[in-house]
Amino acid sequence: MFNLVSDEEKQLLLDTSFMQQALRQAELAFDAGEVPIGCVIVKDAKVIAKGYNQIEMLKDATAHAEILAIGSASSAVENWRLNDCTMYVTLEPCPMCAGAILNSRISRLVYGSKDTRFGGCGGTIDVLSNNALNREIIVESGVLADECLGLIRLFFQKMRMKKDSLDEKNS
């Protein structure tokens, strides 16, 4: 029997599947009134950690999906070094999260949509490439980008409508 699916196609199928799980985490953030960013961390083709933005809920500026997932993954493997792990996140990580990805030694980052305002992986600045720690992190972008960006746009549209409604009531 011939294998008609290339390794790249298999990887894209896996990446899409795990990004869908990250999107489910982003939907939890959306439902909680948080900016809808979700993250999963995978090792040996299994999800070992999940996270979604909880900044407002926890009253913590560092409670980004990526940071929470890294903490959870470190607990799962009982090590702060997350070698051979892949992080899937719906939006390009900010510089803080990119630094945490670098320091936790995640091997591969896959994100959905670029963040042209705050992106730390090339969108605004690039924390990961040519880093001072001399660590190579494989970065892939654009997996389910439209779905990831669509959820964020819907969130901010909903927030604007809510603000406009409050402004009308207070007028």
Side-chain angles (χ1 to χ4, degrees):
M1 212 62 196
F2 292 102
N3 185 359
L4 300 176
V5 179
S6 70
D7 289 342
E8 293 84 18
E9 290 170 319
K10 286 179 189 174
Q11 188 61 60
L12 182 57
L13 288 171
L14 276 174
D15 289 348
T16 301
S17 175
F18 289 125
M19 188 61 75
Q20 288 169 334
Q21 292 184 53
L23 266 165
R24 284 196 282 284
Q25 292 299 304
E27 289 167 355
L28 293 173
F30 185 100
D31 292 343
E34 299 276 355
V35 175
I37 300 169
C39 179
V40 297
I41 298 178
V42 174
K43 184 173 179 83
D44 300 325
K46 286 192 337 195
V47 173
I48 61 167
K50 299 175 184 178
Y52 60 90
N53 273 6
Q54 296 181 46
I55 297 164
E56 300 298 333
M57 189 182 328
L58 298 177
K59 311 283 187 259
D60 180 355
T62 67
H64 290 201
E66 301 94 324
I67 301 293
L68 297 173
I70 286 171
S72 182
S74 295
S75 294
V77 299
E78 298 180 342
N79 195 332
W80 63 269
R81 293 173 191 88
L82 298 177
N83 296 316
D84 302 319
C85 289
T86 299
M87 174 183 281
Y88 294 86
V89 62
T90 55
L91 185 67
E92 176 184 352
C94 71
M96 174 184 71
C97 293
I101 291 164
L102 187 63
N103 286 331
S104 66
R105 300 184 181 179
I106 286 173
S107 302
R108 185 168 176 257
L109 168 66
V110 179
Y111 65 86
S113 179
K114 280 203 169 291
D115 186 345
T116 56
R117 290 184 59 205
F118 303 112
C121 304
T124 303
I125 64 169
D126 194 344
V127 174
L128 300 181
S129 296
N130 301 316
N131 61 74
L133 300 175
N134 203 26
R135 291 205 184 100
E136 185 178 337
I137 298 173
I138 298 165
V139 179
E140 309 279 343
S141 64
V143 177
L144 298 180
D146 291 340
E147 293 87 337
C148 294
L149 188 57
L151 187 61
I152 291 170
R153 284 183 173 152
L154 180 61
F155 175 81
F156 284 110
Q157 181 180 37
K158 181 180 168 189
M159 291 293 107
R160 280 191 296 278
M161 288 172 51
K162 188 175 180 181
K163 182 186 178 299
D164 291 346
S165 176
L166 287 174
D167 289 346
E168 283 180 19
K169 284 182 182 178
N170 293 331
S171 296

